[in-house]
Amino acid sequence: MAKTILITGATAGFGKACARRFADAGWNLILAGRRTERLESLQAELGDAVTAILTLDVRDRQAVHEQLSNLKDIDVLLNNAGLALGLEPAWAVDLDDWDTMVDTNVKGLMYCTRAILPGMVERNCGHVINIGSTAGSWPYPGGNVYGGTKAFVQQFSRNLRADLLGNRIRVTEIDPGMAESEFSKVRFKGDDQSAAKVYAGAEALSPADIAEVVFFVANLPAHVNVNAMELMCIDQSWGPLAVHRKG
Ligand code: NDP
Ligand code: 8X3
């Protein structure tokens, strides 16, 4: 029987690429995001593979509960919806941006997980795949709260595993580095030039690369749990620790 994946943030980037990858392999898809017209066009592209589209803002706790808690037979929950806003230093940042990142990347992911997990526990099977980021492990100037939200995703994923020990439910955190999607356009609030500079001259990861990794971990034998996987494009690596020198 075909398995079912619920993808949050399916209207762009990683989520959309995952929808295509899993549909290609015969999975059923439930696609969620705020932009209905994009969900409809993905449904038109992928046809019967899409069993439902859900216009959903993951920050809306009540809506998440109403729309997700009744879903039965979810084999994989892909907690992908998320965003970064701004790159300002912590003392200059717009507090609304910090709130939006926490509400989406932390609280939205919590709400979706809490809505879907009881059904998985009842059936004693399932897989929660959380999209973290290298930003959750490796700091950079301007990463402040975005990196903090992704560090939450890392520890929450581990703690879910601890809670679920004894159940046949897997939890995986995928931590990509720089990947070319609409991410930077969102971060720079529609400034295409600033967004393009992030990827200029480098061969960034693509959403399809991430989809391949998500597909891989979801299709391992049921007793194999990949706890976490970090990936970067070959053109990205770490720099030295920064030193401020007088004069
Ligand atoms: P995109 O901007 O291309 O896609 C983001 C998706 O998240 C969209 O489908 C958007 O849908 C959805 N989304 C955002 N806010 C909400 C919300 N409140 N409710 C529901 N859906 C929402 O970015 P990516 O595909 O690159 O990002 C996907 C995930 O990967 C994010 O969690 C991001 O932090 C993470 N990531 C990205 C990296 C990168 O370099 N691109 C690297 C590491 C991690 P809509 O606007 O229609 O609601
Ligand atoms: C996205 C990657 O380096 O822009 O999570 O934070 S980065």
Side-chain angles (χ1 to χ4, degrees):
M1 208 176 87
K3 290 186 174 179
T4 299
I5 181 168
L6 164 60
I7 302 174
T8 68
T11 57
F14 302 173
K16 190 174 179 180
C18 286
R20 290 179 170 144
R21 182 65 185 89
F22 280 78
D24 269 357
W27 283 57
N28 293 323
L29 315 170
I30 300 177
L31 306 176
R34 290 169 299 178
R35 287 170 288 183
T36 312
E37 66 292 351
R38 287 197 180 200
L39 293 171
E40 287 170 348
S41 98
L42 197 53
Q43 183 175 38
E45 175 190 327
L46 301 177
D48 289 344
V50 180
T51 55
I53 55 172
L54 305 173
T55 302
L56 180 65
D57 186 330
V58 296
R59 294 171 297 177
D60 185 338
R61 175 172 154 167
Q62 185 64 23
V64 170
H65 176 73
E66 284 169 11
Q67 297 207 56
L68 301 194
S69 59
N70 289 330
L71 294 177
K72 297 291 171 216
D73 303 334
I74 301 296
D75 295 290
V76 174
L77 165 62
L78 177 59
N79 276 320
N80 164 73
L83 79 174
L85 290 172
L87 257 186
E88 290 78 16
W91 63 85
V93 102
D94 179 344
L95 259 183
D96 287 341
D97 287 349
W98 275 5
D99 273 343
T100 303
M101 289 188 278
V102 170
D103 289 346
T104 309
N105 304 355
V106 175
K107 295 174 85 175
L109 187 140
M110 277 164 35
Y111 299 156
C112 294
T113 306
R114 182 61 182 84
I116 293 297
L117 263 188
M120 289 185 173
V121 170
E122 202 179 306
R123 290 188 300 122
N124 197 25
C125 76
H127 194 167
V128 179
I129 303 179
N130 295 325
I131 302 296
S133 168
T134 49
S137 300
W138 313 112
Y140 59 85
N144 42 65
V145 161
Y146 177 67
T149 66
K150 294 302 185 176
F152 166 85
V153 175
Q154 181 180 103
Q155 193 64 3
F156 183 60
S157 302
R158 293 172 177 161
N159 278 329
L160 282 177
R161 284 227 64 220
D163 281 358
L164 288 163
L165 184 67
N167 292 274
R168 305 278 297 174
I169 300 168
R170 298 184 287 180
V171 183
T172 301
E173 188 213 5
I174 307 283
D175 290 334
M178 178 179 73
E180 190 162 0
S181 63
E182 293 175 21
F183 177 85
S184 292
K185 188 172 173 170
V186 172
R187 172 170 246 171
F188 296 115
K189 302 177 180 170
D191 176 349
D192 287 323
Q193 273 193 331
S194 297
K197 276 190 200 151
V198 174
Y199 311 109
E203 188 180 359
L205 294 172
S206 69
D209 295 328
I210 311 304
E212 206 51 48
V213 171
V214 172
F215 187 78
F216 169 73
V217 301
N219 285 280
L220 288 166
H223 68 287
V224 180
N225 192 98
V226 175
N227 296 334
M229 197 183 274
E230 182 180 271
L231 56 147
M232 293 179 187
C233 69
I234 196 92
D235 287 338
Q236 187 175 37
S237 182
W238 301 274
L241 292 177
V243 179
H244 172 69
R245 300 180 197 282
K246 295 187 191 74

